[in-house]
Amino acid sequence: MALRRALLIQDERLFCHQLEIVLKFIDYEVHTVTVDELESELYESSYRVVFITVEEVGEPALVRLAELHRQVPMVLVGERDVHKPFSSRLESLAALKLEWPTTYAVLADCLEKLFHPEANVAVRSAELFRSLSGNSSAIHRTRQLIQQVAGSDATVLVLGESGTGKEVIARNLHYFSPRRQKPFVPVNCGAIPAELLESELFGHEKGAFTGALSARQGRFELAEGGTLFLDEIGDMPLAMQVKLLRVLQERSFERVGSNKTIYCDVRIIAATHRDLEEAIRQNRFREDLFYRLNVFPIEVPALRERVEDIPVLVDDLTARLKAEKKSSVRLTPRTLRTLQKHHWPGNVRELANLIERLAILYPNGVVDIADLPDKFQRQAASEDMRAANEHGEADHAQDFSHEPVGLARLPEEGLDLREHLNSLECELIKQALDECNGVVAHAANLLRMRRTTLVEKLRKYGLRGEETSII
């Protein structure tokens, strides 16, 4: 699976090829097309960024590209010494302009501005949208539901496993609603003892119970005019479910120890990781409350159901660490592929914790599979062994004499050890180059050797890779 895909609209000038090499070096899969070939790419939705290196681009095709992919930024790239300005129409459609030749720092800053503009604003904005990044159909559907219901006062029930970002959904619903200037008040119904939950939600009067030394507002009063988020509603005791149902129906309540009715204007968003319909069958959750809450359900996909979003999530998590002035980290493509094969029982929360841990262990470094926790390394080794076995069986069926992998036993007829080791080394170098899209520097890193050493071996075996030192 590719890390990130870029579309390069190019002509025959040398710097277009140089730009392609640099993008591949920073882990982009680049697809290059000419203006005439652009029409065939209009409905391809997997690109993360479009680079335009031609001054004259077919206007209709470009406009259609921009309209079909409004979320994909376009970057104009022009040679510094060539005084041929882009058209005003082209500049109005583009997100950024980049002069060539450039440096790695400038290009990295350009991409940072495109994908992480929140790094320049308050951390609250970055926190608000975390875990909703991605291009998968599952998360796209979730964002669509948020847009549809955010502007209304409908009660929303957010369903999903622990760590999928249910509170993030709730905060987005509040942020995009007319109530955004009013409070957002979260309360975890499973974390508060049953005997204190009523007071926590509705407040109490002085002397209402032992320890009530003064009157206190509850969460409903604190959220007046805004949004009350009832997290883990499935863990709420049955007795409290009855009282909550009355509040939802009547929009009024009384503090503990008071008979004065207080009317409230609060939007309710509830969330749970439990199967409420199964809880109803087991008499652990009230059916009438379920239907009162389940006006507009939103199911948050588990991370294993949208593994194609992991590279984007990793980008956002590392950008957030930078925004918080903490050490960040960078993952190799092979490491990302290993993460995409993990089951992720803890979902996005587990991924966020892993990235933070790696940033502490390897501050501002590049993380490979060997740097991951043991369970990921065992998983990667298991996948490699399975792939090797499948590959070995297929090759054995075709022609055992051409099998390059190591032998478990020395053949009776013996072998030329030097030739066998050379054959094995050549095959592994080929695999590394294929794994790294031909980029020599990345292949050398994968093989744990110096780039110059690998270049010598490429010459020895008559192999070719893509050099990056020409830029």
Side-chain angles (χ1 to χ4, degrees):
M1 287 177 237
L3 172 58
R4 293 164 292 192
R5 300 191 72 205
L7 177 64
L8 175 58
I9 304 172
Q10 55 129 26
D11 55 19
E12 297 304 319
R13 288 175 295 170
L14 175 63
F15 92 89
C16 298
H17 179 62
Q18 294 174 339
L19 175 60
E20 182 180 355
I21 291 175
V22 172
L23 288 170
K24 287 182 178 179
F25 183 75
I26 58 175
D27 300 329
Y28 273 83
E29 178 188 321
V30 183
H31 183 58
T32 58
V33 296
T34 63
V35 176
D36 295 334
E37 297 167 334
L38 180 59
E39 189 75 23
S40 64
E41 298 298 319
L42 289 178
Y43 298 97
E44 173 59 60
S45 60
S46 62
Y47 295 117
R48 196 164 188 224
V49 60
V50 176
F51 288 90
I52 302 171
T53 63
V54 290
E55 285 84 2
E56 299 297 333
V57 175
E59 186 104 344
L62 185 63
V63 171
R64 288 183 63 197
L65 181 70
E67 289 177 347
L68 286 170
H69 307 294
R70 296 178 186 275
Q71 303 304 316
V72 180
M74 296 186 181
V75 180
L76 301 181
V77 187
E79 291 178 280
R80 192 172 300 161
D81 299 329
V82 178
H83 301 289
K84 273 181 83 176
F86 289 99
S87 69
S88 57
R89 177 60 174 163
L90 206 55
E91 293 194 4
S92 69
L93 290 170
L96 282 174
K97 289 179 64 178
L98 182 67
E99 287 188 337
W100 194 271
T102 188
T103 64
Y104 171 79
V106 171
L107 183 58
D109 184 61
C110 168
L111 295 172
E112 185 78 11
K113 289 177 181 177
L114 287 176
F115 302 125
H116 306 295
E118 71 274 12
N120 299 319
V121 298
V123 174
R124 174 178 168 79
S125 297
E127 290 291 320
L128 183 63
F129 300 101
R130 63 181 179 180
S131 86
L132 290 182
S133 301
N135 302 311
S136 65
S137 57
I139 203 65
H140 176 71
R141 201 160 46 242
T142 302
R143 289 197 296 259
Q144 215 170 29
L145 291 173
I146 292 173
Q147 292 172 1
Q148 289 175 333
V149 76
S152 73
D153 276 339
T155 301
V156 178
L157 180 61
V158 186
L159 304 167
E161 298 178 9
S162 294
T164 51
K166 296 187 290 295
E167 183 170 346
V168 178
I169 300 287
R171 288 186 180 276
N172 275 271
L173 287 168
H174 174 72
Y175 183 83
F176 291 111
S177 76
R179 298 174 178 266
R180 62 182 294 176
Q181 302 300 329
K182 298 294 184 178
F184 175 87
V185 180
V187 54
N188 191 320
C189 301
I192 301 172
E195 59 273 14
L196 298 179
L197 186 56
E198 182 178 6
S199 171
E200 191 70 27
L201 289 176
F202 308 130
H204 61 258
E205 297 292 346
K206 180 179 179 180
F209 50 83
T210 303
L213 303 179
S214 61
R216 180 175 179 271
Q217 287 184 319
R219 300 296 178 97
F220 271 91
E221 287 182 79
L222 294 174
E224 178 63 25
T227 303
L228 179 64
F229 176 51
L230 300 175
D231 198 8
E232 298 303 345
I233 190 75
D235 295 332
M236 179 177 281
L238 280 169
M240 270 305 303
Q241 292 179 28
V242 178
K243 296 178 180 180
L244 176 62
L245 179 63
R246 176 181 176 267
V247 177
L248 295 179
Q249 290 173 336
E250 306 296 333
R251 296 290 172 179
S252 64
F253 61 93
E254 294 86 33
R255 288 183 181 178
V256 178
S258 171
N259 56 7
K260 180 183 177 182
T261 299
I262 300 175
Y263 292 92
C264 61
D265 173 23
V266 173
R267 183 187 191 177
I268 300 294
I269 300 175
T272 182
H273 72 282
R274 300 191 181 279
D275 184 343
L276 292 185
E277 293 184 354
E278 179 61 28
I280 291 170
R281 286 191 286 272
Q282 296 177 4
N283 295 318
R284 291 186 289 105
F285 200 84
R286 292 184 61 94
E287 187 173 13
D288 46 4
L289 178 59
F290 171 73
Y291 290 120
R292 178 66 66 174
L293 293 172
N294 196 38
V295 176
F296 195 96
I298 296 178
E299 293 194 23
V300 190
L303 186 55
R304 62 180 172 275
E305 296 170 0
R306 55 181 189 112
V307 292
E308 61 267 42
D309 292 337
I310 287 179
V312 181
L313 288 169
V314 169
D315 280 352
D316 287 351
L317 290 166
T318 52
R320 189 171 306 115
L321 290 174
K322 289 180 183 177
E324 295 171 353
K325 308 301 181 186
K326 297 179 181 178
S327 296
S328 190
V329 72
R330 184 164 164 262
L331 277 59
T332 64
R334 189 162 175 253
T335 305
L336 279 168
R337 284 192 287 274
T338 298
L339 297 187
Q340 288 178 307
K341 293 174 183 175
H342 184 55
H343 186 65
W344 296 109
N347 293 291
V348 179
R349 184 184 295 125
E350 182 183 358
L351 177 63
N353 291 345
L354 172 66
I355 297 301
E356 187 168 359
R357 174 185 175 183
L358 293 174
I360 294 171
L361 292 173
Y362 311 103
N364 301 314
V366 178
V367 171
D368 204 357
I369 291 177
D371 303 317
L372 294 175
D374 290 344
K375 64 179 179 180
F376 293 97
Q377 294 187 41
R378 288 194 298 269
Q379 177 179 308
S382 176
E383 292 285 342
D384 290 345
M385 186 177 297
R386 186 181 301 112
N389 288 338
E390 291 173 356
H391 179 68
E393 289 172 4
D395 284 352
H396 184 277
Q398 295 172 16
D399 187 353
F400 176 81
S401 65
H402 292 89
E403 176 60 60
V405 299
L407 300 174
R409 296 179 60 186
L410 182 69
E412 292 181 4
E413 66 275 14
L415 56 75
D416 186 323
L417 181 60
R418 183 188 298 275
E419 181 181 341
H420 177 71
L421 291 177
N422 286 341
S423 174
L424 177 60
E425 183 177 56
C426 180
E427 180 64 24
L428 291 174
I429 290 173
K430 287 180 181 177
Q431 291 181 26
L433 287 171
D434 289 342
E435 184 80 15
C436 300
N437 296 320
V439 179
V440 176
H442 290 180
N445 183 55
L446 198 59
L447 293 168
R448 305 289 195 277
M449 65 172 63
R450 295 172 61 87
R451 188 183 63 81
T452 51
T453 304
L454 180 56
V455 169
E456 288 299 319
K457 291 184 180 294
L458 293 179
R459 291 178 183 148
K460 173 182 175 182
Y461 296 120
L463 301 175
R464 293 188 63 185
E466 294 183 3
E467 285 286 0
T468 58
S469 58
I470 63 173
I471 305 303

